Amino acid sequence: MTDFTIPDLKIKPREGGYARGQEGLARILTAALSLLVEQGSKALTLRRIAAECGLKAGNIAYYFSSKEELLRELLDAIISSYEEAFDAIYHAPDTTAEERLERIVMLILEDIKTKQTTRIFPELWAMSNHDPFVHERVDHIYRRARVVLNDLVAEINPALPADERETLALFMSASMEGMTIFAGHDKPWIGKMPAIERIAVKSFLYAIRAMRPGEISGVVQPDSEPQPA
């Protein structure tokens, strides 16, 4: 298991903001996160968020001009916390790319077991099906989250072209995120997560090493027997 942890939120200070204003910002975003986890997206109204953090609804407008702006900043704070944890692993000294990939995979799958992650992301997936704004933001945060996977694929198999690296990183990300509904918090297969982690690490490393340029895009036909590097 990795020693790295993912904080709840990584809130970026606003330019020119004073200490009390920053505290208020953090208070609002923390309240919004709590509502999303405990009550779902239906609870994300400015009035409910204000009540959760002990403010009047009108006070929220001092920090956010709209619900969309609040949601944008909340999602940025969520994904920034992942980026911070990923960055720490990616730049860990005296480690191979394979070791760093294993740590990233373990971190993601361990995080899926938490109540917060199990509840937040499926809510966002459902919202993105009907709300173009949420769809754009969810796509954006997943693109940011895949950057480190893409970079590690490039280190392990530098022969793969950029578009094929991106496709492989997308496959890895989707494979892990999909476990949320099966082995997340309070889900039936959560006890199997250690086994799933071992399968994920081994299969991802094998796939990265075995893929030849053009094979993912279908330009090159795969050999009958894969030849991993």
Side-chain angles (χ1 to χ4, degrees), residues 14-29 46 49-50 53 55-67 69-70 73:
R14 290 180 171 178
E15 292 185 8
Y18 55 93
R20 185 176 177 184
Q22 299 295 350
E23 290 173 3
L25 176 66
R27 189 172 162 191
I28 292 168
L29 293 179
L46 296 182
I49 294 169
C53 58
L55 295 174
K56 294 181 179 179
N59 295 135
I60 301 290
Y62 175 79
Y63 296 92
F64 302 99
S65 61
S66 65
K67 176 183 172 180
E69 183 184 353
L70 190 157
E73 203 147 341

Side-chain angles (χ1 to χ4, degrees), residues 104-180:
I104 291 287
V105 170
M106 297 287 282
L107 179 66
I108 292 172
L109 291 174
E110 282 294 309
D111 179 66
I112 281 173
K113 292 165 32 179
T114 66
K115 179 180 179 181
Q116 176 172 307
T117 294
T118 296
R119 292 192 173 179
I120 285 178
F121 287 96
E123 287 285 341
L124 295 177
W125 300 339
M127 291 169 67
S128 70
N129 284 330
H130 306 286
D131 187 325
F133 170 79
V134 178
H135 174 80
E136 185 275 329
R137 298 312 299 171
V138 169
D139 180 65
H140 178 69
I141 64 175
Y142 275 115
R143 285 180 184 273
R144 286 169 59 185
R146 288 196 301 272
V147 168
V148 69
L149 292 176
N150 197 331
D151 290 345
L152 287 169
V153 171
E155 283 193 55
I156 297 170
N157 189 345
L160 286 180
D163 62 325
E164 295 191 330
R165 292 199 305 269
E166 290 178 0
T167 302
L168 188 49
L170 174 64
F171 169 78
M172 292 161 58
S173 176
S175 298
M176 290 186 285
E177 294 294 332
M179 294 310 305
T180 305

